[in-house]
Amino acid sequence: MKILILSICLFTAYTSLAQTNPKFEQILKQKRTEITQIEVAPSKSTSLVPSTFAENDVAFKKSVDELKELTIIKVYYVYTKYRQSSSFNQLNLDRKRFERLNAAFPELISDPYVEWEIIEQTACTSPEMGSTYFHGFVMIHRPILSEKERLAEISRLENYLKNPTDIFVQEKIDLIDSQLHPTGGSSTNSTLIPDQEAHYKDGPDAMLTYLKHALRTDEIALKRDDQWVKTKITVAKTGQISKVELVDEQPERVKNTVIEAITMMPNWEPARRDSIALDSELMLEIRVSYSTSVNGMYLINGQRPSLESNPLYEKPSDLIQLYDGASPQEIFMKQAPVYKGLDLMDRNEKCALVMDVTGSMTEHVAAMKRWVLSHNDSVKFTSFTFFNDGDGIPSRKKKIGETGGIYSTFDVGAINNVVTETMRRGSGGERPENDVEAMLFAQTRDTTFDAILLIGDNYSEVRDIELFKKIKKKVNVLICSTKTSIRPEYLMMAKKSGGYFLYNGEYIDLKNVLKGQILSIGSCQYDYDGENFEVRATIESTTRLDRTATPE
């Protein structure tokens, strides 16, 4: 078990945020990833918006209209650590660049489904060298494929479907991530979410600020000297502080104050292993000061605290062996969100499977087929429906409810041919998809199912959500392709129809979510107004709903 030593001193706050964009600040407060230098170049999955060294300009290499057509997954903001003047303010320069980007492309900054990371290059030692480094924004998006490349990808999937294995090799699209994690520890392209330790959501500065104000002084305490208070805390998989223990005996007032301050902390981000949230323990050692000028805890020797938790979980030996030998492109099917989600579905229900198979869904199709093949004896799918949003017809010709590009089969043995033919007839196209039209198609053609299982693409808007009132059966949603917020329309479909939600290996029962409550999933929160869900702009201190259960 690792020990965390925490304390607080007075420190300079960020510049007043009154005139700044809250989303900028949320991004800029993130921990910055250090690397000596990154190599960047435009590619079929990478678009650049560069800046000049030490300047606040941004230059669009593609038109903004072209960028708006892309399915942007992640944006890296890149700069160099070197500065000529000690008075130089990097944060102010960052804000100005973000302002320029936002002025031209506000949809990018406001999009809650885009992941952001800040990279600080550390090897620069002069302005001349700095001018050779990349500065600005690197946008990672789903690949822009030629027709030849698109058909080659489908052929590769077709070969896999003929003989599915536990490994599916997917082409790497994020070459920046490959430089940051050369051993494959993280990947925007991968269906796996990197392991993480439990941590305070808003970072160590925010935790110190909270504890400084939460640890109160009183007349009795003021008579005592500074002292160390060792605590053992448990962070539940929901993010709540579920247990606080003092390791050593302490006066009752000290004990009560420390336990109350820790227990009342806003929810943490829990430890995760293979994308699954876990309970974890950590030792939190607090130096309590009763100085009237300091108040609460304070920092020692200028060292910032670090946090390492001890998840109550051991990774299976077969996974350790597999990961140790795997390349970043290898996706372990049994740990893919679609595979894990299908594992959690209610096996007593007869389900009509409906799946989006538009561009860049190959890894999810592969996981679906691998699971179906492995569970053929127990599966209760009554039909399989796949959709491509209109067989490649232009958007201007698409009509709600009449978009087409929907194909189905009742025969599990025909999945390979139907899914690959559906993909061939499509073109990838723009983001919005005809999910509801496809479910209505299944509802009309299949009269034997109890519920629809929709495997949806979180990077795509639901084009025809207005038709959902025509759905007569329960809709269970298995969402894929997400590392940030979930699209609220997917939550709404499951909630309104009485279905459940499957996300990163978690079964989420929405029945208990009431009007006015806040739903927490992963690190995001959603307001529910009795009809629809809405992504909260910021994470606030709230009580999480008990919304998880395992189907019997």
Side-chain angles (χ1 to χ4, degrees):
M1 183 172 296
K2 305 291 180 68
I3 296 179
L4 168 67
I5 299 177
L6 276 184
S7 46
I8 288 182
C9 69
L10 301 178
F11 52 84
T12 304
Y14 280 115
T15 306
S16 172
L17 307 183
Q19 302 300 318
T20 59
N21 184 310
K23 185 63 183 290
F24 296 176
E25 300 308 321
Q26 186 180 9
I27 297 170
L28 292 171
K29 282 170 65 177
Q30 292 178 185
K31 182 179 179 180
R32 303 188 172 209
T33 303
E34 292 187 354
I35 187 173
T36 54
Q37 184 181 6
I38 64 164
E39 300 296 331
V40 301
S43 71
K44 61 187 178 184
S45 61
T46 305
S47 296
L48 308 180
V49 181
S51 298
T52 306
F53 174 65
E55 301 293 338
N56 58 23
D57 62 316
V58 293
F60 288 88
K61 299 301 183 181
K62 283 189 175 78
S63 72
V64 174
D65 287 340
E66 286 180 283
L67 292 174
K68 288 180 180 179
E69 292 297 316
L70 300 174
T71 301
I72 298 174
I73 297 169
K74 184 169 185 176
V75 180
Y76 293 96
Y77 169 58
V78 184
Y79 69 95
T80 57
K81 188 175 182 179
Y82 173 79
R83 61 202 64 197
Q84 286 181 285
S85 170
S86 59
S87 62
F88 173 75
N89 190 318
Q90 180 64 53
L91 192 57
N92 283 345
L93 178 59
D94 298 341
R95 288 193 182 108
K96 290 175 182 177
R97 287 174 175 167
F98 269 78
E99 287 167 2
R100 295 288 182 91
L101 178 69
N102 189 57
F105 193 1
E107 297 87 348
L108 179 65
I109 299 290
S110 62
D111 190 338
Y113 312 109
V114 174
E115 184 182 1
W116 289 82
E117 185 168 352
I118 301 178
I119 298 177
E120 182 178 74
Q121 301 173 105
T122 60
C124 179
T125 58
S126 70
E128 293 74 24
M129 184 182 293
S131 64
T132 67
Y133 280 47
F134 177 84
H135 303 81
F137 301 89
V138 181
M139 299 178 188
I140 307 299
H141 46 77
R142 283 187 166 168
I144 305 169
L145 300 178
S146 67
E147 184 64 7
K148 182 179 179 180
E149 290 170 325
R150 189 180 73 84
L151 293 176
E153 181 181 4
I154 295 170
S155 294
R156 187 167 58 84
L157 172 65
E158 192 170 34
N159 290 334
Y160 174 85
L161 295 178
K162 290 176 182 177
N163 184 29
T165 63
D166 279 348
I167 293 292
F168 178 72
V169 179
Q170 177 76 338
E171 184 178 359
K172 187 81 170 176
I173 67 172
D174 185 353
L175 301 182
I176 301 299
D177 182 80
S178 298
Q179 295 177 60
L180 298 176
H181 307 98
T183 59
S186 172
S187 173
T188 296
N189 184 66
S190 174
T191 56
L192 297 175
I193 292 182
D195 292 348
Q196 69 176 24
E197 309 300 342
H199 59 277
Y200 193 80
K201 281 185 176 179
D202 294 329
D205 283 350
M207 179 166 61
L208 291 171
T209 300
Y210 165 81
L211 289 170
K212 176 182 174 182
H213 294 289
L215 287 170
R216 302 180 304 276
T217 60
D218 56 38
E219 291 183 4
I220 295 177
L222 283 170
K223 298 176 183 177
R224 300 178 58 84
D225 295 330
D226 296 352
Q227 59 188 292
W228 290 100
V229 178
K230 296 181 180 181
T231 67
K232 181 169 73 173
I233 69 175
T234 300
V235 181
K237 62 184 178 182
T238 60
Q240 289 179 299
I241 303 295
S242 61
K243 187 177 181 181
V244 181
E245 299 178 75
L246 267 63
V247 176
D248 303 316
E249 288 295 325
Q250 295 289 345
E252 198 66 21
R253 284 183 176 273
V254 173
K255 177 180 178 180
N256 292 341
T257 297
V258 170
I259 290 178
E260 181 182 3
I262 296 174
T263 303
M264 295 303 291
M265 276 186 179
N267 285 345
W268 289 40
E269 180 62 24
R272 291 182 183 273
R273 287 293 179 271
D274 303 316
S275 82
I276 300 173
L278 305 163
D279 296 342
S280 61
E281 290 180 349
L282 59 92
M283 294 296 292
L284 183 63
E285 191 167 5
I286 303 170
R287 188 172 187 177
V288 181
S289 168
Y290 297 105
S291 163
T292 54
S293 62
V294 176
N295 186 26
M297 301 188 308
Y298 60 93
L299 206 63
I300 298 176
N301 299 328
Q303 297 297 312
R304 301 169 69 83
S306 61
L307 178 62
E308 294 185 47
S309 56
N310 179 33
L312 307 178
Y313 169 85
E314 291 294 332
K315 184 177 289 187
S317 58
D318 60 332
L319 288 190
I320 295 173
Q321 183 177 3
L322 180 113
Y323 288 140
D324 285 348
S327 73
Q329 292 81 17
E330 291 178 354
I331 297 168
F332 186 37
M333 288 290 98
K334 292 181 181 179
Q335 291 300 308
V338 168
Y339 196 103
K340 291 191 295 184
L342 289 169
D343 259 348
L344 292 174
M345 63 182 291
D346 186 346
R347 304 288 181 87
N348 296 316
E349 287 183 337
K350 292 185 291 184
C351 274
L353 184 147
V354 178
M355 185 172 187
D356 181 349
V357 295
T358 50
S360 299
M361 287 291 284
T362 52
E363 65 189 68
H364 307 299
V365 173
M368 178 274 295
K369 179 59 191 296
R370 183 71 181 112
W371 189 91
V372 171
L373 188 67
S374 301
H375 298 78
N376 195 33
D377 294 336
S378 62
V379 69
K380 289 189 177 181
F381 286 124
T382 57
S383 62
F384 301 87
T385 300
F386 306 102
F387 61 98
N388 65 27
D389 192 47
D391 284 346
I393 64 175
S395 295
R396 66 180 182 277
K397 293 185 178 181
K398 293 178 181 178
K399 295 182 180 179
I400 299 297
E402 301 177 19
T403 298
I406 305 168
Y407 302 89
S408 69
T409 181
F410 294 99
D411 180 7
V412 67
I415 289 177
N416 293 7
N417 291 336
V418 175
V419 73
T420 52
E421 185 61 22
T422 306
M423 296 177 77
R424 281 193 177 91
R425 295 188 182 194
S427 62
E430 67 282 355
R431 286 195 307 269
E433 312 291 358
N434 57 332
D435 301 60
V436 184
E437 183 185 352
M439 289 191 288
L440 288 170
F441 182 95
Q443 180 176 270
T444 301
R445 195 163 184 269
D446 183 354
T447 60
T448 63
F449 68 86
D450 300 321
I452 293 171
L453 178 67
L454 173 65
I455 302 181
D457 179 7
N458 196 65
Y459 288 131
S460 299
E461 298 94 328
V462 179
R463 178 194 302 282
D464 49 8
I465 193 66
E466 64 196 70
L467 300 177
F468 188 72
K469 57 183 178 291
K470 296 183 179 182
I471 298 293
K472 305 303 181 184
K473 294 288 186 77
K474 179 166 68 169
V475 176
N476 304 318
V477 178
L478 196 174
I479 202 69
C480 53
S481 303
T482 180
K483 287 192 176 182
T484 51
S485 303
I486 296 166
R487 289 193 182 274
E489 54 262 40
Y490 287 114
L491 293 170
M492 181 277 287
M493 287 191 283
K495 172 64 176 174
K496 276 192 174 181
S497 66
Y500 53 79
F501 197 85
L502 301 170
Y503 165 77
N504 284 332
E506 187 176 5
Y507 180 103
I508 301 171
D509 189 347
L510 301 175
K511 292 188 182 70
N512 295 327
V513 183
L514 303 176
K515 180 179 180 180
Q517 289 188 320
I518 297 169
L519 173 68
S520 293
I521 301 177
S523 59
C524 296
Q525 295 180 325
Y526 308 83
D527 289 302
Y528 180 59
D529 65 5
E531 287 291 325
N532 297 295
F533 291 88
E534 182 179 354
V535 180
R536 290 178 70 84
T538 58
I539 297 295
E540 297 177 3
S541 174
T542 57
T543 301
R544 286 177 179 243
L545 297 174
D546 181 13
R547 78 289 188 281
T548 60
T550 301
E552 298 180 356

